[in-house]
Amino acid sequence: MTQEQISAAVEHAHDHQETYLTGFQELLRIPSVSTDPAHRADVQRAAEWIAADLSRIGFKNSRAIPSSGHPVVYGEWLGAGDDKPTVLVYAHYDVQPVDPLDLWDNPPFEPVLKDGRLYARGTIDDKCGVFVNLKAFESIMQTDGRLPVNVKVFFEGEEENGSPNMEPFVIEYKEMLAADLLLISDGGSLPDQPLNITSVRGIIDGEVFVKGPARDLHSGSFGGIVHNPAHKVAEIIAALHDADGRIQIPGFYDDVAAVDAAEQQRMDEQNEQMKAYMKERSGVPAFWGPPEYSFMERATAQPTCDVNGMTSGYQGQGSKTIIPSEASFKVSMRLVANQNPDDIAAKFLRFIDSFHCDTLDIRGTVDSKSWAAQLLTQGPAVEAINRAFEVVWGKRPLMYRQGGSVPIIGMFQRELGIPITTLGYGVGDNGHAPNEYIFLDYFYLGIDTAIHFYYYLAEEKANNRSTI
Amino acid sequence: MTQEQISAAVEHAHDHQETYLTGFQELLRIPSVSTDPAHRADVQRAAEWIAADLSRIGFKNSRAIPSSGHPVVYGEWLGAGDDKPTVLVYAHYDVQPVDPLDLWDNPPFEPVLKDGRLYARGTIDDKCGVFVNLKAFESIMQTDGRLPVNVKVFFEGEEENGSPNMEPFVIEYKEMLAADLLLISDGGSLPDQPLNITSVRGIIDGEVFVKGPARDLHSGSFGGIVHNPAHKVAEIIAALHDADGRIQIPGFYDDVAAVDAAEQQRMDEQNEQMKAYMKERSGVPAFWGPPEYSFMERATAQPTCDVNGMTSGYQGQGSKTIIPSEASFKVSMRLVANQNPDDIAAKFLRFIDSFHCDTLDIRGTVDSKSWAAQLLTQGPAVEAINRAFEVVWGKRPLMYRQGGSVPIIGMFQRELGIPITTLGYGVGDNGHAPNEYIFLDYFYLGIDTAIHFYYYLAEEKANNRSTI
């Protein structure tokens, strides 16, 4: 019976590929950049667009619920019955900033299809996570008249900004969000190799400002007597790591948890394959990092600290002989299991304070922080995902630790206390860079995979009622 | 007799203040930014404007002579007779870039007079040097029909770009430029305290580029395995100085000449006065630099190394979690007597090369370089300057070592081999910063001072024929 229902829904999805693609492009055209206050109305517009689509599909209570920051898109379809699990589906509809704009081959919010790739900001991170679920629901509702499980959707609008307002929101709406399983539709897979994410890193974003003279000074008149803020910024950044890349913030590694034997074995098995893949994607001449850890450990099981941007003084053509008035840098740290973001933030700020001097003013800030999280590695939900991929892609997923962060996962885990798994649809590249794209074939496969997953989850859960 | 001639010329200048100011504003409106290729035609236009004014005043052979870079404005008036000295008058008509533009209270090329200050890019550095001399010549020619000494003018158009094409130009035109004295009209004085510059520092401008991944990478996926080019730039900058500000480029101080006893004594005498003055101008909480040298030694007799600008990654609002593809910085070094710019440039580039690693591509460049120079400290020319200031300002100048550079001075000294002194008219501030201004009163006093100087020079030289 299930197989027929799946086939009908998949057939419906295939018949409507053109309509679905048009809808996806419409959503991609809304520049929902959450970090930039200038795009505030665009973020709101994206939220309302999605809420309207949910209503049309048949979800109840669909709306853009205001938070203290950007709105959450919520909607629910709870007609599957009490014996069926309730899945809370998470994705985010906000996107990264687009600069450097001049490195884009096409305007980032005008989707362009070329060589089987759909280019636009948000294609893989993470409007596909929103849209693929919507179209799976639509295809099932159109053919089956109902969903195989109860579904609540929670589409966030400030993931790329570190989700500063989601914790109070989740606390306020805890009852509304109650569910048996949280499905995270963010992140993606490799071409021909689906991934089932078993952990994500946490993240802390910070900034450091060094203020010197009241304004830029002539480097001839003041060179030798005025402390240059760019030099101090360099001194601080240089002190963040030792020569092998070990982070030097005192106590930074204190609480890093060891990974268990099964995870360690999986990382060892994946080491060479991932190295080859990441080498091609990054274009670096050689990899880097503390030599006592394997490639996969450094990429996923060890914390990091990276400067994301750095600025001071004159940056135009030619020279300008000044001592800059100020210098600053942005930094992000990726945390692993058991590192408390509040504790690491305090250690970071103490480290910055340790550079205090009477010739410059130094100030560190922490703008957002989130915990790392541990996800399901077995049970009905994992099995439903693995089967869906196996049937649709012809390959079972790699059980994979992820280096990136989905800040909300750690928070959901701590606030809602429900099991979590991920089902990411984005196969493409340049998620945080110019020329972001998704492979169109994988976009369509994503819808098929989601359809399979929701039916299989009902089935697996029926066979194993003691867990999810 | 001389006093009457001076008085007539000064009176003429006073009667024409309004016309002269209008002319100055016209010159200030031409955005002759020499470092920016986009302003190439503006630099040419400024040169032609000045050459036309020289012709109108009565100079011969006035023209904008092309160089391999920006043109030199040349003109001569040689009717004073063979028994009179010939003065080669130097100033530069190009200006610094204007950014950060948003820190200007008024558009930089629309002069605004406010509270006795004339604001515009180039007011003190160094269009006043050009214009004050022009108007002194004009006032004398209009009242006396002739100049008291022979004069050649050499107004440069690429000083703010490090004068890359002036050396071959001076070699080519050596005969045309022959003179008994080179008068540098660049730099200025303090309010109520004229300065007579006895030395200038040399300068080297360089840039360092560090290239990492082929494009910006996601700091989650690639953090811990890809070497961050911003970290390497910070490492290099941090290594330029020790904790007390001593430059760590190997061999950097090898050839630094000790200053003579008279200069040392003058510096000691000026130390506290200059410290108070520079503190107010810079707005820094405390001064900085190697403690074994006095304030004046650090500011004028010791070499420096300053980062002028630094850039990498995301610099907009909010955060962007990337590992930047590249990072770079601009640096300038101020050299003192006996340091060979070629030698220091080679040492700098070797130092940059020493940071070579297999995870990043590092490249250093040197864009321009010039020698420090020693100027006249006594004799007829110095006496003429000191008398002119004493009469016009009511105060004899401080004999003063200058921390800044006039790249062409060292080159002139080496190529033409003639004695050099300076007569700067710019009393104001923000020469390399937003809201550059000159005090209008001092602009007019500058014309009076120049008139006095040219007459006094003829007189002093007549009394002392053995030197200049």
Side-chain angles (χ1 to χ4, degrees), chain B residues 234-264:
Chain B
E235 184 188 334
I236 298 172
I237 295 173
L240 285 169
H241 297 84
D242 71 7
D244 286 323
R246 293 176 205 95
I247 297 159
Q248 300 297 296
I249 297 170
F252 191 84
Y253 292 101
D254 283 357
D255 297 323
V256 170
V259 293
D260 68 27
E263 292 259 61
Q264 186 66 51

Side-chain angles (χ1 to χ4, degrees), chain B residues 316-364:
Chain B
Q317 276 263 17
S319 67
K320 189 173 180 209
T321 48
I322 52 166
I323 295 176
S325 163
E326 54 197 358
S328 65
F329 67 96
K330 295 177 196 280
V331 63
S332 62
M333 288 158 267
R334 302 282 171 170
L335 309 184
V336 295
N338 207 39
Q339 283 187 298
N340 180 332
D342 291 326
D343 172 62
I344 298 294
K347 285 172 174 164
F348 168 72
L349 293 174
R350 266 201 301 280
F351 177 75
I352 299 304
D353 284 346
S354 74
F355 289 88
H356 170 85
C357 60
D358 63 357
T359 45
L360 293 164
D361 181 55
I362 301 167
R363 189 167 58 87

Side-chain angles (χ1 to χ4, degrees), chain A residues 192-212:
Chain A
D192 296 322
Q193 180 55 70
L195 300 176
N196 190 332
I197 305 299
T198 61
S199 71
V200 296
R201 292 198 278 200
I203 187 168
I204 293 180
D205 284 326
E207 209 157 348
V208 175
F209 304 90
V210 178
K211 184 91 190 70

Side-chain angles (χ1 to χ4, degrees), chain B residues 102-323:
Chain B
D102 57 335
L103 294 188
W104 286 79
D105 294 333
N106 302 291
F109 296 108
E110 293 175 21
V112 168
L113 186 60
K114 204 178 135 185
D115 300 332
R117 300 168 181 203
L118 183 66
Y119 289 90
R121 174 55 90 224
T123 42
I124 56 161
D125 190 10
D126 175 41
K127 283 179 174 170
C128 68
V130 170
F131 200 78
V132 160
N133 278 302
L134 288 181
K135 297 306 118 169
F137 298 143
E138 179 170 345
S139 302
I140 299 173
M141 290 292 280
Q142 288 290 316
T143 50
D144 210 356
R146 60 201 311 281
L147 301 180
V149 292
N150 299 304
V151 172
K152 297 175 175 180
V153 306
F154 182 110
F155 293 151
E156 184 190 355
E158 50 184 43
E159 196 271 346
E160 300 295 0
N161 197 23
S163 307
N165 304 292
M166 288 301 100
E167 187 168 353
F169 185 95
V170 167
I171 292 170
E172 185 177 349
Y173 290 95
K174 199 171 264 188
E175 210 170 320
M176 180 182 86
L177 301 174
D180 301 303
L181 174 72
L182 172 61
L183 180 79
I184 303 287
S185 282
D186 190 13
S189 287
L190 314 185
D192 296 321
Q193 179 56 70
L195 300 176
N196 190 331
I197 305 300
T198 60
S199 72
V200 295
R201 293 198 277 200
I203 187 168
I204 293 179
D205 284 324
E207 208 157 349
V208 175
F209 305 89
V210 178
K211 184 91 192 67
R215 58 186 193 293
D216 294 348
L217 297 177
H218 191 297
S219 73
S221 309
F222 292 93
I225 53 175
V226 165
H227 201 166
N228 188 319
H231 298 185
K232 180 56 79 174
V233 152
E235 184 188 334
I236 298 172
I237 295 173
L240 285 169
H241 297 84
D242 71 7
D244 286 323
R246 293 176 205 95
I247 297 159
Q248 300 297 296
I249 297 170
F252 191 84
Y253 292 101
D254 283 357
D255 297 323
V256 170
V259 293
D260 68 27
E263 292 259 61
Q264 186 66 51
Q265 195 192 327
R266 276 198 289 267
M267 283 196 286
D268 290 347
E269 286 165 7
Q270 295 166 11
N271 217 39
E272 292 311 309
Q273 181 189 353
M274 291 310 299
K275 209 164 165 174
Y277 172 70
M278 299 294 256
K279 185 131 176 40
E280 194 192 320
R281 272 183 74 199
S282 64
V284 293
F287 284 117
W288 168 94
E292 61 272 30
Y293 298 106
S294 74
F295 178 85
M296 279 298 288
E297 285 176 293
R298 299 201 314 268
T300 69
Q302 282 291 308
T304 74
C305 177
D306 267 295
V307 169
N308 313 120
M310 178 170 84
T311 188
S312 184
Y314 182 65
Q315 300 175 28
Q317 276 263 17
S319 67
K320 189 173 180 209
T321 48
I322 52 166
I323 295 176

Side-chain angles (χ1 to χ4, degrees), chain A residues 72-133:
Chain A
V72 169
V73 180
Y74 179 80
E76 58 190 26
W77 189 90
L78 304 176
D82 287 351
D83 60 326
K84 295 293 191 302
T86 299
V87 185
L88 180 64
V89 180
Y90 169 89
H92 66 89
Y93 64 89
D94 65 316
V95 299
Q96 277 274 310
V98 297
D99 62 287
L101 189 57
D102 57 335
L103 294 188
W104 285 77
D105 295 332
N106 302 292
F109 296 108
E110 292 175 21
V112 168
L113 186 60
K114 205 178 135 186
D115 301 330
R117 299 167 181 205
L118 183 65
Y119 289 91
R121 173 57 88 226
T123 42
I124 54 162
D125 191 10
D126 173 41
K127 284 178 174 170
C128 68
V130 170
F131 200 79
V132 161
N133 278 301

